[in-house]
Amino acid sequence: MNNILLNNLPLLVLNQIVSLLYLVTTFLYGAHFFSDIEFAKQYKRPLLSLTLVTHVLYLGLLTSIEGYKISYSTVNLMTMVALTLTIIYLFIEFTTKSDKTGFFVISFASGAQLISSVLTSLTPNTGTAFSGIGIGVHLITTIFGFSSIAIAGLYSILYLLLFRQIEQNRFELLFQRLPNLEVLERLIMHAVAFGFLFLSITLFAGVVEQHAIKGTVTILEPKLITLVIIWLIYGASIFIKPIIGWDIKHMAYLFIFLFVFVTALIVLMTFFSPTFHTLSF
C-alpha cells in the first residue's frame, strides 16, 4: 500500500512518539488536577512544550517529503486540530496563569492525535493536495477556528458543571480546582472572539481562492453552508450579551451544541469523506 508512514520508518516512529507524548502529558495534567501530585505539577508544562516541539518536527518531516502536502484530508485535519488546540491552550495558560483546565483541553487534543495517527498509518496517500499562500491561510485559519470552537465548548461544559455545583451548594472537586465562574466566562468569550476572527479569515480567504481557481468548489454544499451559519452565530453571540443581556449560562448551551455538532461532522467526514470540500475539477 502506498502509505507515507509505512514507507518511512523514522517518520512512523516519530508519529507514534507524538501520540505517546500526548498521552503522557494528559496523564500528568490529570494527576495534578484530580490528585494534586507534586511530580505531575512540576513536569506537566515542560512535557507539554516538548510535545508541541515534537509535533511540529513531525509535521515538518511529513511535509518535507517530496509529493506529500498537508491537504483537506480529514486525517490531516485531526493532527492539525491537536496541534492548534495545544498551542491555544498553552497561550491561555501563560497569559491567565491558570493551569487547571489543561486536562480537559489536552485530553481532546490527544484523542484527535490518536485518531489521526491510526488512520494515517492505515490509509493510502489519497486526496487532493494544495499549495499557495491563499489556500494555506484558508486551511490554517479553518483549523484554528475549529480549535477555538472546541475550547469554547469545553469551557462552556466546565462553566455549567461548576455553576450547577454552586447552585446546589456542593463545593466539591471542580469548585476547589477550577477557576471561578467569572474567569471561565472570560475564557469562553475570548475563545468565541478568536473563533469568529479565524472563521472570518477562513471565509474571506476561501472566497479569494474560489475566484482564483475559477469556481472548483461547490459553494452550496451543506458543509460550507454549515460553516457560514456557525460564523454568523459566533459573530452574533459576541453582541448578544451587551445588547439584549442574554446570560452566559444560556449561551454556554449554544456553544456546547456547536462544539458537539462540528466534532461529529469532522468524525463522520474522517470515515466517510476524504476531504472537507466537494471538488469539481
Side-chain angles (χ1 to χ4, degrees):
M1 180 172 64
N2 181 25
N3 181 276
I4 188 71
L5 295 183
L6 298 183
N7 295 334
N8 190 314
L9 182 59
L11 196 59
L12 176 63
V13 172
L14 192 56
N15 175 276
Q16 302 306 308
I17 290 175
V18 170
S19 297
L20 180 62
L21 285 173
Y22 270 102
L23 289 177
V24 176
T25 304
T26 302
F27 173 78
L28 290 184
Y29 270 89
H32 180 221
F33 183 83
F34 291 105
S35 303
D36 203 18
I37 297 176
E38 185 60 29
F39 175 84
K41 178 183 179 181
Q42 184 177 356
Y43 289 102
K44 63 179 186 177
R45 184 181 290 179
L47 193 62
L48 180 62
S49 300
L50 176 63
T51 302
L52 268 180
V53 171
T54 309
H55 199 159
V56 171
L57 176 63
Y58 162 69
L59 290 176
L61 287 176
L62 181 70
T63 54
S64 68
I65 298 173
E66 186 177 358
Y68 193 89
K69 297 176 181 177
I70 295 294
S71 69
Y72 277 127
S73 160
T74 46
V75 174
N76 282 169
L77 291 181
M78 296 294 273
T79 189
M80 292 297 292
V81 164
L83 178 68
T84 53
L85 263 178
T86 308
I87 291 173
I88 293 174
Y89 169 73
L90 194 60
F91 176 77
I92 290 173
E93 184 174 309
F94 272 112
T95 54
T96 65
K97 309 301 180 187
S98 174
D99 58 1
K100 300 299 186 183
T101 59
F103 170 73
F104 305 95
V105 178
I106 304 302
S107 294
F108 189 80
S110 297
Q113 178 55 36
L114 281 176
I115 292 174
S116 175
S117 293
V118 172
L119 293 181
T120 302
S121 62
L122 293 178
T123 55
N125 300 334
T126 57
T128 306
F130 300 87
S131 61
I133 295 177
I135 202 68
V137 171
H138 178 65
L139 183 58
I140 295 298
T141 52
T142 298
I143 296 165
F144 269 98
F146 171 71
S147 296
S148 299
I149 292 172
I151 289 179
L154 290 170
Y155 282 153
S156 294
I157 293 172
L158 296 178
Y159 181 92
L160 292 178
L161 289 174
L162 183 58
F163 185 88
R164 180 178 291 273
Q165 282 201 356
I166 294 174
E167 195 175 45
Q168 297 175 348
N169 293 321
R170 293 167 42 229
F171 304 111
E172 300 172 352
L173 183 66
L174 292 181
F175 179 81
Q176 298 168 19
R177 303 290 170 78
L178 286 178
N180 60 45
L181 290 177
E182 288 75 17
V183 173
L184 283 176
E185 179 179 343
R186 285 203 302 271
L187 292 174
I188 292 171
M189 294 314 297
H190 285 170
V192 170
F194 277 119
F196 180 69
L197 172 65
F198 287 126
L199 292 179
S200 299
I201 298 173
T202 295
L203 291 173
F204 178 76
V207 170
V208 172
E209 191 65 22
Q210 169 81 358
H211 178 73
I213 60 179
K214 301 186 187 306
T216 56
V217 175
T218 305
I219 61 174
L220 295 179
E221 63 182 76
K223 286 174 286 191
L224 189 55
I225 294 174
T226 300
L227 179 65
V228 173
I229 293 174
I230 293 173
W231 173 69
L232 290 173
I233 292 174
Y234 259 57
S237 65
I238 295 175
F239 304 102
I240 283 178
K241 186 178 179 183
I243 294 178
I244 66 174
W246 204 25
D247 62 81
I248 191 67
K249 178 184 173 184
H250 292 92
M251 293 172 68
Y253 285 110
L254 176 62
F255 298 143
I256 293 171
F257 169 77
L258 292 176
F259 164 55
V260 173
F261 177 76
V262 174
T263 302
L265 183 65
I266 290 181
V267 171
L268 289 175
M269 285 193 306
T270 300
F271 293 102
F272 300 109
S273 176
T275 69
F276 183 86
H277 289 300
T278 300
L279 304 174
S280 55
F281 291 100

